Amino acid sequence: MRHRTLGPHRVSAIGLGAMPLSIEGHPDERRALATVHAALDAGITLLDTADSYHLPGAEPGHNELLVARALATYGGDKDGVLVATKGGRGRPADGSWTVNGDPRHLKAAAEASLRRLGVEAIGLYQLHKPDPAVPFEESVGALRELLDAGKIRLAGVSNTDVDQIRAAHRILGDRLVSVQNQYSPAVRDSEAELRLCAGLGPAFLPWSPLGGISRSSLDGPSGREHDTRLGAFRAVAQEHGVSPQRVALAWLLARSPAVIPIPGASRPETIRDSAGAADLMLSAQELERLNSAAVPVG
């Protein structure tokens, strides 16, 4: 497993997005734990969760508790594992995804996440999404207070634009270590944010990194145009004798040294396949072919 830099940490070049283990269609606990254990066995040391990853209307934190149980029951080395969680979103009974960036809510949510994860301080805590009803600087200010209080060790933001990333960096400085935006072969709207991270320092963690190749529950409808355009990923995969998903993740890694994809998985074999992307080297000609095939920005 190759590694990349996330703040002061060296983490695996591929992370695990644990959301599918707790939302609609999630596996039973035995398979969910086996999936996290398979990720750890494959050398993955970045686990991404959130307090809102649970069934609609259920108690917050199902996914955080699951990740904590998986680590507690893992028999191998876990000293280098970084757990990243997020606060600021909710899942009411209607299945929607709400936003709450009120500083009081974020601080209380971080305290609850800390207890569920069973740690003295959260390794990486991220604002899940800016709240249009709350000044962004106030939400990020809550992260700064959590850092100063020693409740969290590092901070990140998610679903943010260039101006918001710059604002967060002004407030947090080098303690802003991650930006988590949607980015994939089919969704490249965060190209400018990726470039900014590469220059500014935070790692760029694409969520739903297999969009157009595989589906996430947060993705919109997939159109025929995407399927046709992204056929090059399947063709390159066939030439290498690997899955299109593995090629997509290898393509993402080649976009920038700042990129650390966090593909979701609900089966051990899926995350083992994704982990293999770290060792898949694509040629310059293949990358040019895939860059041309990926859906253009905008």
Side-chain angles (χ1 to χ4, degrees):
M1 172 64 70
R2 287 187 292 154
H3 292 80
R4 294 209 158 169
T5 300
L6 199 163
H9 296 277
R10 251 180 108 248
V11 300
S12 53
I14 300 290
L16 169 66
M19 182 176 75
L21 302 176
S22 293
I23 61 167
E24 295 88 328
H26 68 78
D28 62 30
E29 181 164 312
R30 181 178 177 180
R31 196 175 91 190
L33 294 175
T35 300
V36 179
H37 291 168
L40 298 171
D41 286 341
I44 288 176
T45 59
L46 174 63
L47 306 180
D48 179 79
T49 181
D51 61 0
S52 58
Y53 294 165
H54 57 78
L55 294 175
E59 285 292 317
H62 180 277
N63 201 242
E64 292 174 324
L65 290 168
L66 179 69
V67 167
R69 282 195 296 275
L71 287 170
T73 57
Y74 183 63
D77 182 13
K78 54 196 174 189
D79 289 341
V81 175
L82 176 65
V83 176
T85 192
K86 300 179 286 294
R89 301 204 78 174
R91 292 215 73 196
D94 65 3
S96 62
W97 295 83
T98 58
V99 183
N100 187 347
D102 184 283
R104 292 166 297 184
H105 170 78
L106 291 173
K107 287 185 278 189
E111 291 274 6
S113 292
L114 189 153
R115 290 192 296 271
R116 286 189 291 263
L117 291 171
V119 294
E120 294 181 0
I122 295 171
L124 171 57
Y125 194 68
Q126 302 165 104
L127 174 65
H128 206 154
K129 188 174 184 178
D131 184 346
V134 178
F136 182 69
E137 290 77 6
E138 292 185 12
S139 297
V140 177
L143 299 184
R144 182 177 59 192
E145 291 183 34
L146 289 165
L147 285 163
D148 292 343
K151 302 292 185 180
I152 66 176
R153 292 196 170 95
L154 299 165
V157 293
S158 182
N159 300 299
T160 45
D161 61 27
V162 165
D163 290 339
Q164 291 166 332
I165 295 169
R166 291 191 184 279
H169 189 262
R170 284 195 297 271
I171 295 168
L172 300 174
D174 291 340
R175 294 187 293 181
L176 175 72
V177 301
S178 67
V179 172
Q180 190 173 141
N181 281 13
Q182 185 177 20
Y183 189 86
S184 70
V187 181
R188 294 177 59 192
D189 295 339
S190 283
E191 200 79 49
E193 289 76 15
L194 169 55
R195 288 195 300 270
L196 176 60
C197 287
L200 200 60
F204 185 85
L205 280 51
W207 64 261
S208 193
L210 299 174
I213 307 296
S214 297
R215 308 288 301 141
S216 162
S217 67
L218 290 177
D219 287 337
S222 177
R224 271 183 183 274
E225 181 186 352
H226 287 188
D227 293 340
T228 302
R229 191 187 296 273
L230 296 174
F233 285 81
R234 293 176 174 82
V236 171
Q238 190 172 27
E239 292 163 10
H240 280 270
V242 299
S243 69
Q245 289 84 356
R246 192 181 296 195
V247 170
L249 293 171
W251 172 79
L252 282 166
L253 289 172
R255 298 296 293 163
S256 166
V259 171
I260 306 173
I262 47 171
S266 60
R267 295 179 297 137
E269 51 267 41
T270 304
I271 193 57
R272 282 194 288 263
D273 181 69
S274 292
D279 298 317
L280 176 59
M281 298 293 107
L282 300 172
S283 69
Q285 292 80 8
E286 287 171 329
L287 289 171
E288 183 178 355
R289 181 178 171 190
L290 296 174
N291 288 339
S292 300
V295 177
V297 178

